[in-house]
Amino acid sequence: MKVVKIYMLVFAGAIISASVSAQSHYPGQHLDKISLKETVPMKAYAFDLQDIKLLDSRFKENMERESAWILSIDVNRLLHSFRTNAGVYSGAEGGYDTIKKLDGWESMDCELRGHTTGHILSGLALLYASTGNEVYRVKSDSIVKGLAEVQNALKQNGYLSAFPQNLIDRNIAGKPVWAPWYTLHKIYSGLIDQYLYCNNRQALDVVEKMAMWAHQRLATVTPEQRKIMIRNEFGGVNDSFYTLFEITGKPEYKSLAEFFYHEETLDPLMKQVDNLKGKHANTYIPKLIGLARAYEIGEPEKNKTISEFFWNTVIDHHSFCTGSNSDKESFFEPDHQSAHLTGYTGESCNVYNMLKLTRHLFCIEGEVKYADYYEKALFNHILGQQDPATGMIAYFLPMLPGGHKVYSTRDSSFWCCVGTGFENQAKYGEAIYYHNDKGLFVNLFIASELTWKAKGLKVRQDTNFPSDETTLLTFETQKPVSMPLYFRYPSWATSGTIVKINGKPLKVKQNPGSYIIVDRSWKNGDKLEVTFLMKLQLNPTPDNPDVVSISYGPIVLAAKLGTDGMQKPAPYSNPKLHNDYYTYDYHVPATISNVLNVKGKAVTEWLKPIEGNPLTFKTANIAEGKELTFVPLFDLHRERYVVYWKLK
Ligand SMILES: [Zn+2]
């Protein structure tokens, strides 16, 4: 019944999302495993995730909660639907009946079943890289081994899935089906990540067989069938095939990637047409990640042009103050944010994918605007989507005044955003540092330690940002390293900066929205201290100057509004309903208002910091209404909030 309901939604145009996920491969990474290097010069290269270790912070705490959850899900539970599909129940725990099955989107009647196993392969690979802890690799090996057994048992030319091939047949025939290529993409990517991050050769062997199956299966598809098939959500499967092409150099994988070029959607972008309105956001976004990667490995300039136009369009015309986008999963008309303050804004997978696209475009262009967006979306959306009490994940980030985050449940959700969450929370180290052929970029202010092997250099970043405005870098090196350091001077830091080297002030020539360049010979023990002064700011929506969000530095603030009217199972999703986030009734009490009688007054007149509580503010001098407390939205959990205000 559920699935039938889903078909109806799909064909009514109100698509319940699957989402793309699994890691993308960025320039400069995994050089020992890539046979085709980038042929286009990059402005910046990524480090391997294993070279960055998180130090104590809220980010690390999130990662540890995610880790505990991943490790608690038994391998046999992750394999049972695959084994069922192949007719084998070889779990060490015994037969099929003894395994506690995953529910929600992993239940046996859900057409997306199996996607979580792919996400978890990626999540475990990222956790292994982030921490070096063998426990993640050992668990990964068991899953990969189990999948290899299933692939052999299926005996279908390398096909491997938790559902039968007839879902693919239905997709090709244009018959109703949810999103089989989307789900396969998760498994492709999970296995690729296992090879790249954990050096698991068996994973590469299994995924190559899967790709060769795809090559054979799609060889007989007619152009007309192809056109219909790729209208359906296929995630970032093109990106996975490009990555396999890079690893192996086999042309079949490149043709597979190109097979999934979706002309109908992408060609208008070449003509600089904003065709986003009404499109399912997370079906759309991942198509661009593959294109950006294609450009990096030498495919035509068109791929870059399209990706950049899309990114600019989403950021400039379709995003909320948190860096998230969409209402009920679809893009709306450009610059109409104030008309879409609903309980169904900002699917987490969309942000996950925008961040991946952002990383590619930063490598290509090296522009600070990409790093600014990364910070905005990482702090305001991704970090706050995990419930600190339980580690559960919110699908949407509601902008509805008086709404609240609705979290998944442990065994009965397994939504797409839970899947991407397994990865989001495992890779906070990945976009802090980049390098070019000369020096080092510091893009994010997150407590961490970078080991740059090629330079014989360690850089430790101590910071409690954003609670603290200062970041301290300490250099550790056997011999002095001459190089420029590019320290991001964020666009929001319009109150200026204080920079000190070994305690001595340094004159800064650059402006916000650029890089502070410190070019010198870095010696062991050198310290660079950078402070960016934050200030309160009102951010009007483009369609209504009297509807505003409030930020402090890069951090979006929201008013804490308590739990009145929140009915159980709130703040959790109802475990009996797989998709209730999509129609969730927030029961917002009539007493909650987002009107502020402060029009024309400077924000500093009516919003005052609470001493001793960083990032916390209280209203003052407001003629009517009760006093409100503002905290970072990422820190606001299990209660109602308001992000956007109407000024009167
Ligand atoms: Zn999602």
Side-chain angles (χ1 to χ4, degrees):
M1 273 307 285
K2 272 189 318 280
V3 181
V4 172
K5 191 172 150 206
I6 285 158
Y7 295 155
M8 287 166 66
L9 282 166
V10 168
F11 287 92
I15 302 168
I16 286 183
S17 169
S19 77
V20 64
S21 70
Q23 191 58 325
S24 193
H25 178 242
Y26 303 99
Q29 293 187 314
H30 310 295
L31 296 178
D32 58 330
K33 294 196 172 65
I34 297 296
S35 69
L36 299 171
K37 301 289 184 288
E38 291 79 27
T39 52
V40 182
M42 294 286 119
K43 296 274 172 50
Y45 293 89
F47 286 96
D48 283 329
L49 185 56
Q50 67 184 29
D51 296 334
I52 298 112
K53 295 286 172 272
L54 293 181
L55 304 175
D56 289 348
S57 72
R58 175 64 184 282
F59 292 96
K60 193 175 173 192
E61 289 167 16
N62 271 33
M63 180 176 81
E64 286 168 351
R65 274 188 287 270
E66 194 69 44
S67 156
W69 185 15
I70 283 197
L71 291 177
S72 75
I73 305 172
D74 187 272
V75 169
N76 287 312
R77 299 184 73 197
L78 292 166
L79 290 173
H80 92 85
S81 54
F82 289 85
R83 286 172 172 158
T84 303
N85 186 41
V88 290
Y89 310 117
S90 55
E93 291 176 351
Y96 177 80
D97 290 340
T98 66
I99 293 168
K100 188 182 169 207
K101 288 148 200 88
L102 307 177
D103 199 2
W105 287 20
E106 282 302 329
S107 59
M108 287 304 292
D109 60 354
C110 179
E111 291 183 345
L112 290 197
R113 63 189 179 271
H115 74 114
T116 301
T117 305
H119 282 297
I120 282 185
L121 282 175
S122 294
L124 287 167
L126 295 166
L127 283 167
Y128 178 61
S130 293
T131 65
N133 189 333
E134 283 293 314
V135 71
Y136 304 116
R137 204 180 51 76
V138 170
K139 181 154 188 156
S140 300
D141 288 354
S142 305
I143 301 172
V144 172
K145 188 164 166 279
L147 289 177
E149 285 165 5
V150 167
Q151 190 177 41
N152 287 334
L154 274 166
K155 293 192 178 59
Q156 294 179 23
N157 283 331
Y159 178 74
L160 168 63
S161 175
F163 50 73
Q165 280 205 55
N166 85 9
L167 269 69
I168 300 285
D169 299 339
R170 275 157 51 193
N171 191 185
I172 291 170
K175 292 180 184 163
V177 66
W178 197 346
W181 285 104
Y182 158 88
T183 309
L184 290 186
H185 165 238
K186 307 298 162 278
I187 301 158
Y188 279 111
S189 289
L191 290 164
I192 292 170
D193 291 345
Q194 282 295 320
Y195 173 63
L196 291 177
Y197 291 86
C198 301
N199 200 27
N200 187 322
R201 303 281 322 180
Q202 187 176 32
L204 182 63
D205 180 54
V206 172
V207 74
E208 279 217 69
K209 286 181 187 157
M210 281 179 78
M212 282 304 181
W213 161 81
H215 191 255
Q216 281 186 9
R217 181 68 191 86
L218 295 175
T220 57
V221 168
T222 67
E224 198 46 44
Q225 286 173 323
R226 171 185 169 276
K227 217 172 152 185
I228 293 166
M229 187 187 101
I230 64 173
R231 277 185 194 149
N232 202 3
E233 185 171 7
F234 56 74
V237 76
N238 58 342
D239 186 39
S240 287
F241 289 135
Y242 277 125
T243 305
L244 267 185
F245 172 54
E246 284 177 74
I247 293 171
T248 63
K250 293 179 187 168
E252 291 90 339
Y253 305 147
K254 182 165 173 263
S255 341
L256 278 168
E258 289 164 351
F259 181 96
F260 284 92
Y261 177 85
H262 190 205
E263 296 86 349
E264 239 172 64
T265 305
L266 299 171
D267 283 351
L269 298 177
M270 194 59 198
K271 297 176 190 137
Q272 313 274 296
V273 173
D274 177 353
N275 66 348
L276 275 61
K277 184 188 164 186
K279 291 219 163 48
H280 185 251
N282 207 46
T283 298
Y284 202 157
I285 304 168
K287 298 179 203 287
L288 282 303
I289 298 169
L291 293 201
R293 186 62 194 147
Y295 169 76
E296 290 164 0
I297 58 170
E299 295 302 302
E301 180 96 7
K302 172 186 175 185
N303 294 287
K304 178 177 84 142
T305 311
I306 290 178
S307 310
E308 290 184 354
F309 175 74
F310 177 82
W311 189 92
N312 287 324
T313 305
V314 172
I315 302 305
D316 295 343
H317 303 290
H318 294 271
S319 293
F320 293 102
C321 57
T322 48
S324 44
N325 58 59
S326 74
D327 184 9
K328 281 228 163 179
E329 307 189 2
S330 291
F331 288 120
F332 43 81
E333 50 279 68
D335 300 316
H336 273 60
Q337 284 84 338
S338 85
H340 290 273
L341 304 179
T342 75
Y344 318 101
T345 48
E347 182 185 346
S348 288
C349 294
N350 300 359
V351 180
Y352 165 93
N353 280 311
M354 282 304 294
L355 290 178
K356 283 177 24 171
L357 180 60
T358 301
R359 289 202 71 194
H360 283 293
L361 297 180
F362 180 75
C363 289
I364 293 169
E365 301 291 5
E367 287 178 36
V368 81
K369 69 175 182 180
Y370 296 112
D372 280 346
Y373 171 72
Y374 205 98
E375 175 184 70
K376 175 192 276 195
L378 193 74
F379 281 80
N380 295 306
H381 189 105
I382 300 293
L383 182 64
Q385 289 302 88
Q386 187 202 62
D387 173 20
T390 61
M392 296 299 105
I393 293 289
Y395 191 108
F396 289 130
L397 180 53
M399 291 297 152
L400 175 73
H404 60 81
K405 295 170 187 173
V406 179
Y407 309 108
S408 57
T409 57
R410 207 178 166 78
D411 291 311
S412 304
S413 301
F414 294 111
W415 311 317
C416 50
C417 298
V418 170
T420 47
F422 283 127
E423 300 178 36
N424 282 328
Q425 309 295 332
K427 57 173 186 168
Y428 282 120
E430 74 167 8
I432 304 172
Y433 307 98
Y434 291 82
H435 66 90
N436 60 14
D437 54 357
K438 297 190 189 77
L440 177 68
F441 292 89
V442 179
N443 272 3
L444 297 176
F445 318 131
I446 294 178
S448 54
E449 188 172 77
L450 164 74
T451 303
W452 192 358
K453 294 188 199 89
K455 295 268 186 190
L457 183 68
K458 268 193 182 182
V459 180
R460 182 185 163 98
Q461 181 178 171
D462 287 293
T463 185
N464 198 19
F465 184 90
S467 295
D468 192 335
E469 296 170 317
T470 299
T471 288
L472 176 69
L473 299 185
T474 306
F475 292 78
E476 190 186 317
T477 174
Q478 299 263 315
K479 50 182 184 183
V481 177
S482 287
M483 63 162 196
L485 183 89
Y486 314 102
F487 202 95
R488 184 171 66 97
Y489 193 164
S491 301
W492 53 261
T494 50
S495 296
T497 179
I498 302 162
V499 180
K500 293 177 187 168
I501 291 189
N502 298 327
K504 288 185 194 139
L506 183 87
K507 200 164 183 304
V508 174
K509 296 182 206 119
Q510 290 85 9
N511 293 314
S514 66
Y515 280 93
I516 298 168
I517 303 171
V518 187
D519 196 352
R520 71 195 301 265
S521 174
W522 298 93
K523 297 182 191 64
N524 192 40
D526 274 356
K527 289 184 189 299
L528 178 76
E529 191 182 287
V530 183
T531 303
F532 293 116
L533 305 172
M534 294 191 198
K535 66 173 183 189
L536 284 168
Q537 191 170 312
L538 297 183
N539 313 296
T541 52
D543 50 330
N544 187 343
D546 293 331
V547 174
V548 303
S549 65
I550 305 171
S551 56
Y552 184 66
I555 303 303
V556 172
L557 301 176
K560 282 163 71 74
L561 294 176
T563 55
D564 279 359
M566 280 171 65
Q567 300 175 6
K568 278 199 169 158
Y572 298 100
S573 162
N574 184 341
K576 296 197 180 80
L577 303 171
H578 291 172
N579 306 314
D580 63 334
Y581 57 84
Y582 196 76
T583 50
Y584 201 86
D585 186 345
Y586 291 87
H587 300 285
V588 180
T591 49
I592 287 184
S593 158
N594 70 330
V595 173
L596 279 174
N597 295 308
V598 295
K599 196 168 167 181
K601 289 186 187 170
V603 60
T604 46
E605 272 181 56
W606 53 268
L607 198 56
K608 305 287 183 188
I610 298 179
E611 212 159 307
N613 286 309
L615 307 174
T616 309
F617 299 81
K618 252 192 163 51
T619 50
N621 310 322
I622 290 185
E624 300 161 43
K626 59 181 182 190
E627 214 170 58
L628 297 167
T629 302
F630 283 74
V631 297
L633 178 61
F634 74 72
D635 240 352
L636 218 159
H637 287 279
R638 309 162 78 86
E639 69 173 297
R640 300 184 184 282
Y641 58 78
V642 169
V643 173
Y644 279 98
W645 301 89
K646 281 185 187 156
L647 303 185
K648 288 247 165 89

